[in-house]
Amino acid sequence: MKPAAFTYHRARSVSGAVGLLAELGDDAKVIAGGQSLVAMMNFRLARPEHLIDIARIPGLDTIVREGDALRVGALVTHHAVETADLGPDFRVLSEAMRWVGHLPIRTRGTVGGSIAHADATAEWCLLAVLLDARIVVEGPAGRRSIPAEEFFQGVFTTALEPDELIVEVEFPRPAPRATLTEFAERQGDFAIVAAAVDPDAPRVVLGGVAQVPLRVPAAEAVLAAGVAVAEVGEAAAAAIDVRDEPGASAHYRRALTRTLVTRACEEARTR
Amino acid sequence: MTREPRFDRTGRWVGASVPRREDPRLLAGRGRFVDDIALPRMLHAQFVRSTIAHGRIVAVDLGEVRAVPGVVAAFTAADLALGDITALLDRPPHEFVPTAMPVLALEKVRYVGEPVAIVVATDPYAAEDGVEAAVVEYEDLDPVVTDTAALADGAPLVHAEAPRNTLVDVSLFATEGIDDVFAQAPCVVRVRTKTGRQNALPLETRGVVAAWDDRDEQLHVQTNTQVPHQVRTVLAGCVGLHEKQVRVTVPDMGGGFGQKCVVGREEIATAAAALRLRRPVKWIEDRRDALTAAFLAREQRYDVRAAFDAEGRILGLDADVVCDMGAYSCYPFTAGIEPLMASAEMPSVYQVPAYRVRGRAVTTNKAPTAPYRGVSRPQYVMVVERLMERAARELGIDPVEIRRRNLITVFPYTGVNRITYDPGSYRESLDLCEQVLHDEGWYDVRARAVREGRVIGIGYSCFSERTGYGSGAFAQRKMQVVPGFDISEIRMDVSGTVSVTTGTMSHGQSHETTMAQIVADRLGLDIARIKIVQGDTDRITYGWGSFASRSITIGGSAVAAASGKLGEQLREIAAHLLDADVDATELDGDGGVRLRDDPARRLSFAELADVAYLRAHLLPKGIGPGLTASASFDVAGDGTFSNATHGVVVELDPGTGGVQILRYVCVEDCGVAIHPQVVEGQCRGGIAQGIAGALFEQVTYDDAGQPLAPSLMEYKVPTAAEIPDVAIHHLETPCAFTANGAKGAGEGGTIGAPAAVLNAVNDALRDTGVELDDTPIARETVHRALESALENAHV
Amino acid sequence: MSEIQLVELTVNGERHDLAIEPRRTLVDVLRHDIGLTGTHVGCEHGICGACTVLVDGAPVRACLVFAAQVEDADIRTVESLAEPDGTLSDLQREFSAHHGLQCGFCTPGFLMLAEGFLAERPDATKEEIREVVASNLCRCTGYQTIVEAVDACAARRRSG
């Protein structure tokens, strides 16, 4: 389990990284914390010929509150968010970090890396959709900002162009009552199903039931109606389209969805 | 020797949880594990492995491999021309079919991950580059992926010589009239279960460093094996050397649990490459290979009926056991290891008057199997304990009470399986375990749970574990290579310190400490002055290594006997020098010999050793120079049985099917504990592995025989978040024939845990009408059971 | 084999100038290029934690980091815990006292995990310690004694 050979590049600026990406094309891969990428490289499931290390680009590791919005730099680690004092408005971000792998993963793994990797059960992907985040990316033509719902396109597939780099994730509005919960057999594992709710938006977002983090408008409507939380869970379970897969049947995923959405709503109501 | 007490409780070392001798170096990062070894000009090996489950090898092209930068050599089976690894039973052809395991696959591949060629390079990265460049052409054959497929009519054959893919088919017991017993019994219950394939998963994977030493004219193989002498024998045979030309030594080991108590193909191939290249070669198994291509265990299918009378007394047991042993028999145990263990010992701790069993080993296109901590006992104990609970429910008897009515209570007890059980605390451990859970209030919690909408269950398992299998016991299994005894040699040097050899092989069990404690009490010498020597075929006459919880019972007894002999020598010399009768002397417990009636007259071991080596002319007539002794130990009878009762409280989550262990109580009896803290460590670690088997871990394959759990993401070794604290209570029934009254303690935790957890889960499900017997228990299955009960309740 | 890169690492306060392939992981470089074999390799995909070291004080999986990524960082391995004369640290002594190790293979990873965690969270509760101990795998102990050892070390440090 040793990775294939590659050439290592260290970017000193966003424009430098973008320039390298443009020059090296599909043979290059960006590495920040590398907590998913290096594991895949050790299995030789990923074998980039060039690695562009962006970890030392200055200015991408800050968390800034600007009015209602919270701007989280791409290089901010999960652990930095976990231990940051984000106030009541964005406490869901800090709280959700306990579900991200384990401490030694969280100390290196980054927000931008997690979003770019786009695992449909990853907490950052759910949070981004839940909170209507905008993914700020920079390419040769400059910066653009992509709504999270449009950013995630499929299994490990995003709207990011090969020569673009995520620089920041912008959470535009406070979500003091938002919550996230999930279920896995073992602590730290990727969830079988993850559920996040924000009663104020309202938003209901699920991980593990689709190729992307999935908003469930039918459940959001029920949530907005302010009825019993179990009905929100019921609506979410009814709305999803899941298939039997090894390890979890459609029926089970639906049941987990019902349970987790209900529990997330219960927790939100206590706030 | 007759002056020795049966077991020694007067010394200050045995029974004390002294600081472990192993700890300082391991804590400081200064241990020496096999991958820590670096030799000049050392090369690194990796293996080209089969990508298909079953096929004929048409061609192996290593041309591109040899062109990869850094690759020094690449060999196929034909290039190395090695002998096979073949393990045999002395059983007739209808009971046992011998099959050879080639070191590298020659004509056929029989599982995904089977080694086909070895690539040797200047570093492990280049070796892996080389492996990628290999081109192997296969002719696909239909794979046999399950035990039922293996036994089906017209199934493809994994080994042409094994019809119906059956390697072992034995019917050890069939009590006359057992059919009548079942026909007339007022209560017959049945358990059909399938247990998941598991990986023992030592955290340190397998590995070896081999080098030809011209000065010693020896192939020196440093390998992390539990059985160094057996590796030497097989290796010498495979490469065509005399055994004196092979030295196997074992560095620190990062666990084994049985996976390392068989001879591995890779360690032979690596050594052969080193021999061929005359350069040191290292192979370190990576985790993917460890998960997919290392020795596995535990995949068994049981169909067992038990007959009971109306009072809940068991009348008979009728069992059919099929063990999926994968592609090959392991050396030295053979594919018979699991079915023979289950067949011989299934009656467990109960008085079973009638017994019939058929045990089979089938071969499939999956990685082969080896003994794994507990060997079949976690499975059959689970089956028997499920039968007890089921009968209890059917007869309306309390599940603890029905066990009481059946437990063996008068010892020695010779069972229907013709095994004689030495004294244990079967009844006492159950009583205490139940009392602890009562006293801690768990029965109240369980009762309240119903009102509170919680789902809580309590489950038990009672079991014993045969430890210290002597040569006679293994001979009954009809192994052609018969383990059992152990030999120890002790040597005192000029300064009065001793080194003691043991043929056992610690791989985490603390033998450097516990064996030294035994010696310390026998000689009355501080353990700081005792060195335990293990894992070196040049320094140890012969040993069987560590498995089957044999180390303290057999190895410890040999060490004690050798120490006792040395003590006699010391007293004889002292008697001479002090001008006294030998009978008037005694070891003084502080590194010397004194006169019993005049303790002031004393000679220290250093003074005696000084005479033995440096002033030998002062020695008594008939005693030669030097201070050495050796002794062997074997168990004449059926070994000694440790026993325990485990009690578990679980809570199920109806919303997710989640299973949480709220409380785990273990009441264990391993006789005299040499080092109670180490015994508790063995219990807890074993229980964690048992819980893992009950609730988490499974090696799975798709229909084509491709492994579905090639990483620790899929193979779910539980963490500190899942494994509960374990409360341990000790009982002590000393063994009458081991040196210190000790019984083995290595496997019990693993044996008891699956049954207790499964019973607790089923107790929690008691109102659902659903019973779960398969392991690992899927959360989805739990969820479905609770859900259906809810639905029924609503109807 | 690919191109060689010059990499400068600071490990346990000591600087090492290395000429290595950039694909070499930190754990391989620590063990085989620098010779600090106390850090172990258990899975090479970030699950088992046997390779856990401190990078700028934070516990990190050394199998999921290329050495080239951590130039200029302060890397600490298990070899830094004991005094040069071999005297064990308080954390190491608690592991021994609680029998928090058996085969010892996972132990360096747990030690560095706990060392990094307790430095950041000296007031951690036993439950928080358990959650962090769940980061790494041990196959021998069943974890209880590891949790107890770390908890005892934290308590002792707090008391003085």
Side-chain angles (χ1 to χ4, degrees):
Chain A
M1 287 180 57
K2 308 297 183 189
F6 58 82
T7 303
Y8 175 81
H9 307 264
R10 187 176 293 159
R12 299 283 178 186
S13 65
V14 172
S15 59
V18 169
L20 276 169
L21 279 171
E23 177 193 329
L24 300 169
D26 287 345
D27 295 338
K29 201 90 174 123
V30 170
I31 186 165
Q35 297 302 284
S36 298
L37 178 60
V38 179
M40 290 170 68
M41 290 175 70
N42 287 351
F43 276 106
R44 299 201 177 194
L45 296 170
R47 40 192 320 148
E49 288 181 28
H50 298 271
L51 264 197
I52 303 170
D53 184 355
I54 61 166
R56 284 150 203 257
I57 296 178
L60 297 187
D61 61 349
T62 57
I63 305 174
V64 181
R65 183 74 192 258
E66 264 181 28
D68 272 353
L70 188 77
R71 310 173 74 91
V72 181
L75 290 178
V76 171
T77 64
H78 312 307
H79 188 57
V81 174
E82 183 176 25
T83 52
D85 181 9
L86 303 179
D89 287 355
F90 291 100
R91 61 189 275 192
V92 64
L93 298 181
S94 297
E95 289 167 355
M97 291 304 101
R98 68 176 291 264
W99 297 103
V100 182
H102 294 284
L103 175 65
I105 300 294
R106 299 199 287 268
T107 58
R108 292 232 15 120
T110 64
V111 178
S114 189
I115 299 266
H117 186 55
D119 189 301
T121 60
E123 292 75 14
W124 277 113
C125 301
L126 261 72
L127 291 166
V129 173
L130 179 77
L131 303 184
D132 297 323
R134 299 179 71 84
I135 318 300
V136 181
V137 306
E138 185 168 324
R143 289 200 175 193
R144 66 185 179 119
S145 161
I146 309 165
E149 263 195 278
E150 294 167 28
F151 185 82
F152 301 110
Q153 297 187 334
V155 182
F156 301 117
T157 311
T158 68
L160 196 66
E161 296 296 331
D163 55 1
E164 286 180 324
L165 187 72
I166 297 176
V167 293
E168 189 177 271
V169 181
E170 182 192 341
F171 297 93
R173 57 174 169 79
R177 296 204 295 154
T179 57
L180 180 147
T181 189
E182 48 188 67
F183 180 76
E185 284 176 22
R186 197 172 53 162
Q187 184 184 317
D189 279 357
F190 281 107
I192 302 172
V193 172
V197 302
D198 181 356
D200 298 318
R203 287 284 179 276
V204 175
V205 183
L206 299 172
V209 301
Q211 296 188 344
V212 294
L214 186 74
R215 261 188 73 181
V216 192
E220 291 172 359
V222 178
L223 179 60
V227 294
V229 288
E231 291 185 33
V232 186
E234 204 56 61
I240 57 175
D241 178 21
V242 278
R243 253 159 281 186
D244 290 347
E245 283 167 44
S249 71
H251 180 79
Y252 185 46
R253 271 178 216 276
R254 208 168 264 123
L256 287 177
T257 298
R258 182 183 303 117
T259 297
L260 294 169
V261 168
T262 303
R263 287 179 185 174
C265 290
E266 275 168 6
E267 201 185 328
R269 289 225 166 143
T270 65
R271 297 191 166 176
Chain B
M1 294 298 285
T2 50
R3 290 184 217 96
E4 295 277 332
R6 264 280 162 80
F7 55 94
D8 183 353
R9 298 303 299 271
T10 56
R12 55 197 261 252
W13 296 102
V14 165
S17 292
V18 300
R20 290 206 319 161
R21 305 282 297 279
E22 294 87 344
D23 282 353
R25 70 170 187 274
L26 295 173
L27 285 162
R30 291 178 168 277
R32 185 170 66 250
F33 295 89
V34 65
D35 191 33
D36 301 342
I37 296 165
L39 299 175
R41 284 171 46 77
M42 185 170 75
L43 299 170
H44 300 263
Q46 272 304 339
F47 289 86
V48 176
R49 294 180 182 276
S50 175
T51 53
I52 62 170
H54 196 193
R56 227 171 282 288
I57 299 175
V58 178
V60 182
D61 182 356
L62 302 179
E64 292 288 321
V65 176
R66 297 185 178 107
V68 168
V71 170
V72 173
F75 303 113
T76 62
D79 296 332
L80 289 177
L82 300 168
D84 296 329
I85 303 172
T86 308
L88 296 172
L89 294 176
D90 275 332
R91 288 185 180 274
H94 68 275
E95 288 191 349
F96 174 72
V97 179
T99 50
M101 178 164 70
V103 174
L104 295 171
L106 196 52
E107 291 163 353
K108 271 180 77 170
V109 289
R110 295 185 172 88
Y111 60 95
V112 173
E114 177 159 13
V116 173
I118 180 170
V119 176
V120 183
T122 51
D123 76 67
Y125 291 73
E128 212 163 310
D129 296 343
V131 166
E132 278 192 319
V135 181
V136 185
E137 190 186 333
Y138 301 102
E139 175 195 332
D140 280 302
L141 297 170
D142 288 336
V144 180
V145 184
T146 64
D147 61 318
T148 43
L151 291 169
D153 287 335
L157 294 183
V158 178
H159 295 270
E161 58 270 39
R164 298 186 78 81
N165 292 308
T166 301
L167 300 181
V168 174
D169 187 349
V170 288
S171 298
L172 294 187
F173 303 99
T175 306
E176 212 179 307
I178 190 166
D179 285 321
D180 295 336
V181 170
F182 274 85
Q184 291 156 19
C187 169
V188 174
V189 290
R190 182 176 186 181
V191 166
R192 277 177 290 187
T193 179
K194 175 89 195 300
T195 59
R197 202 171 192 80
Q198 263 187 282
N199 192 317
L201 208 125
L203 206 61
E204 180 207 36
T205 57
R206 297 178 300 149
V208 58
V209 176
W212 176 259
D213 186 317
D214 276 305
R215 184 168 177 277
D216 291 342
E217 295 183 340
Q218 257 188 337
L219 184 62
H220 184 195
V221 179
Q222 303 183 71
T223 181
N224 54 16
T225 184
Q226 299 170 231
V227 289
H229 280 88
Q230 289 65 51
V231 171
R232 182 180 70 175
T233 297
V234 172
L235 175 58
C238 282
V239 300
L241 294 173
H242 301 300
E243 292 211 22
K244 77 176 173 61
Q245 293 175 293
V246 177
R247 179 185 183 193
V248 175
T249 63
V250 183
D252 282 324
M253 277 178 74
F257 316 115
Q259 190 173 74
K260 297 172 180 169
C261 81
V262 298
V263 179
R265 311 163 82 171
E266 293 91 345
E267 57 195 340
I268 306 296
T270 302
L275 189 62
R276 172 72 67 93
L277 296 167
R278 287 295 200 268
R279 283 180 72 173
V281 180
K282 176 191 276 189
W283 168 69
I284 301 297
E285 180 179 50
D286 68 28
R287 185 55 69 188
R288 174 178 40 199
D289 291 345
L291 284 167
T292 56
F295 293 96
L296 305 172
R298 299 248 203 275
E299 188 170 5
Q300 303 185 348
R301 186 181 299 278
Y302 285 78
D303 186 348
V304 185
R305 293 183 308 145
F308 287 82
D309 70 15
E311 280 75 47
R313 279 181 201 85
I314 190 164
L315 302 172
L317 202 56
D318 187 10
D320 185 52
V321 186
V322 176
C323 305
D324 180 344
M325 304 307 287
Y328 293 100
S329 258
C330 62
Y331 183 94
F333 302 97
T334 80
I337 179 80
E338 288 190 357
L340 290 172
M341 175 70 89
S343 299
E345 323 243 342
M346 195 181 304
S348 192
V349 284
Y350 300 111
Q351 303 177 57
V352 178
Y355 177 44
R356 177 166 61 197
V357 63
R358 180 185 188 190
R360 279 174 285 178
V362 300
T363 179
T364 55
N365 291 117
K366 295 187 288 201
T369 47
Y372 171 27
R373 197 177 199 173
V375 181
S376 288
R377 289 168 289 192
Q379 288 74 40
Y380 77 65
V381 166
M382 194 178 88
V383 169
V384 170
E385 294 300 292
R386 290 295 305 134
L387 288 166
M388 283 290 159
E389 299 250 338
R390 198 158 287 176
R393 199 176 291 192
E394 200 136 312
L395 293 165
I397 302 173
D398 177 82
V400 171
E401 176 56 26
I402 198 171
R403 288 181 170 91
R404 277 198 196 101
R405 292 178 191 178
N406 286 289
L407 284 171
I408 301 166
T409 50
V410 178
F411 299 96
Y413 174 87
T414 299
V416 68
N417 52 354
R418 296 196 280 275
I419 293 171
T420 299
Y421 297 75
D422 68 334
S425 54
Y426 300 177
R427 171 75 186 264
E428 295 84 346
S429 69
L430 175 62
D431 290 348
L432 178 56
C433 192
E434 189 195 30
Q435 188 192 329
V436 168
L437 287 180
H438 267 295
D439 292 351
E440 292 183 353
W442 291 105
Y443 279 90
D444 300 333
V445 171
R446 178 179 177 272
R448 276 202 312 274
V450 182
R451 297 195 297 275
E452 294 167 352
R454 296 171 71 189
V455 185
I456 288 177
I458 295 176
Y460 292 91
S461 69
C462 296
F463 62 97
S464 65
E465 170 201 3
R466 174 143 59 145
T467 69
Y469 286 79
S471 305
F474 277 117
Q476 277 177 7
R477 299 275 167 89
K478 301 190 178 172
M479 288 172 69
Q480 202 173 72
V481 174
V482 185
F485 63 85
D486 200 59
I487 302 171
S488 174
E489 289 157 344
I490 187 164
R491 188 161 66 200
M492 181 171 278
D493 60 30
V494 183
S495 67
T497 59
V498 297
S499 63
V500 191
T501 70
T502 174
T504 62
M505 187 62 246
S506 182
H507 41 290
Q509 300 94 329
S510 326
H511 296 169
E512 286 171 56
T513 305
T514 54
M515 295 281 186
Q517 288 176 273
I518 293 172
V519 177
D521 273 353
R522 288 298 153 131
L523 284 176
L525 186 63
D526 193 289
I527 61 166
R529 302 177 75 81
I530 298 160
K531 178 182 172 60
I532 300 298
V533 177
Q534 58 183 341
D536 185 342
T537 56
D538 269 14
R539 294 175 70 185
I540 293 155
T541 303
Y542 199 79
W544 289 103
S546 284
F547 53 85
S549 299
R550 65 185 301 277
S551 299
I552 281 297
T553 50
I554 297 177
S557 294
V559 156
S563 304
K565 282 189 179 175
L566 182 68
E568 296 293 307
Q569 281 181 42
L570 289 164
R571 288 173 55 210
E572 281 182 48
I573 297 169
H576 178 72
L577 296 174
L578 295 170
D579 199 19
D581 263 6
V582 173
D583 288 344
T585 65
E586 65 182 6
L587 299 174
D588 73 353
D590 191 27
V593 182
R594 66 187 173 196
L595 297 187
R596 192 173 290 120
D597 297 330
D598 187 3
R601 296 187 65 201
R602 170 189 190 271
L603 288 166
S604 71
F605 289 170
E607 289 167 317
L608 295 169
D610 181 79
V611 168
Y613 289 101
L614 306 183
R615 293 186 289 158
H617 61 284
L618 298 179
L619 286 169
K621 282 202 179 64
I623 292 203
L627 285 168
T628 64
S630 84
S632 67
F633 184 85
D634 201 346
V635 174
D638 287 343
T640 181
F641 286 78
S642 298
N643 68 272
T645 298
H646 291 196
V648 176
V649 185
V650 300
E651 177 162 18
L652 309 182
D653 180 346
T656 61
V659 181
Q660 194 193 352
I661 298 174
L662 302 178
R663 186 63 173 156
Y664 203 114
V665 175
C666 164
V667 180
E668 70 81 36
D669 185 344
C670 65
V672 175
I674 309 296
H675 189 300
Q677 196 182 40
V678 164
V679 167
E680 293 192 355
Q682 290 296 314
C683 287
R684 293 203 171 94
I687 286 167
Q689 292 185 11
I691 292 171
L695 293 175
F696 294 95
E697 296 173 5
Q698 189 171 16
V699 178
T700 49
Y701 297 83
D702 70 10
D703 294 344
Q706 292 290 337
L708 294 175
S711 86
L712 292 172
M713 305 274 280
E714 301 87 11
Y715 192 78
K716 295 185 184 300
V717 178
T719 74
E722 290 79 42
I723 298 299
D725 284 354
V726 176
I728 300 174
H729 299 262
H730 298 285
L731 298 173
E732 183 183 285
T733 311
C735 174
F737 52 83
T738 58
N740 295 281
K743 301 176 176 182
E747 299 169 272
T750 315
I751 293 168
V757 170
L758 202 65
N759 281 336
V761 168
N762 278 294
D763 183 53
L765 293 173
R766 60 194 175 274
D767 295 330
T768 66
V770 178
E771 294 192 48
L772 306 181
D773 292 326
D774 293 347
T775 57
I777 301 168
R779 305 302 181 272
E780 176 165 358
T781 310
V782 173
H783 175 266
R784 198 183 307 128
L786 291 167
E787 184 183 53
S788 61
L790 272 178
E791 280 163 9
N792 293 340
H794 287 308
V795 169
Chain C
M1 279 200 281
S2 62
E3 62 199 84
I4 298 296
Q5 185 175 333
L6 295 176
V7 172
E8 182 189 315
L9 288 187
T10 306
V11 183
N12 303 333
E14 193 177 320
R15 187 182 134 159
H16 299 268
D17 293 298
L18 305 156
I20 56 171
E21 284 188 283
R23 64 169 159 169
R24 289 183 75 79
T25 56
L26 176 60
V27 69
D28 279 348
V29 170
L30 289 172
R31 290 176 50 74
H32 303 304
D33 295 287
I34 296 177
L36 293 171
T37 53
T39 305
H40 295 152
V41 176
C43 75
E44 295 181 292
H45 55 287
I47 307 293
C48 82
C51 66
T52 305
V53 299
L54 300 185
V55 175
D56 292 330
V60 156
R61 305 289 204 225
C63 73
L64 294 187
V65 178
F66 297 113
Q69 291 176 272
V70 287
E71 282 192 297
D72 308 332
D74 172 27
I75 297 159
R76 276 187 66 200
T77 68
V78 67
E79 285 91 348
S80 72
L81 294 181
E83 300 293 329
D85 69 358
T87 305
L88 298 179
S89 74
D90 56 348
L91 180 65
Q92 290 167 315
R93 288 196 302 273
E94 294 293 357
F95 266 67
S96 185
H98 288 85
H99 195 28
L101 68 158
Q102 290 181 25
C103 78
F105 192 80
C106 70
T107 309
F110 276 105
L111 288 170
M112 299 318 285
L113 175 72
E115 184 73 10
F117 176 65
L118 290 184
E120 184 182 290
R121 293 292 315 280
D123 294 324
T125 65
K126 193 168 181 183
E127 274 322 293
E128 289 168 332
I129 289 169
R130 179 177 288 279
E131 190 166 329
V132 167
V133 166
S135 301
N136 288 11
L137 298 180
C138 168
R139 198 58 164 169
C140 294
T141 63
Y143 303 105
Q144 179 176 344
T145 53
I146 297 177
V147 174
E148 287 169 355
V150 177
D151 187 45
C153 180
R156 201 176 283 265
R157 286 181 185 181
R158 283 194 295 265
S159 70

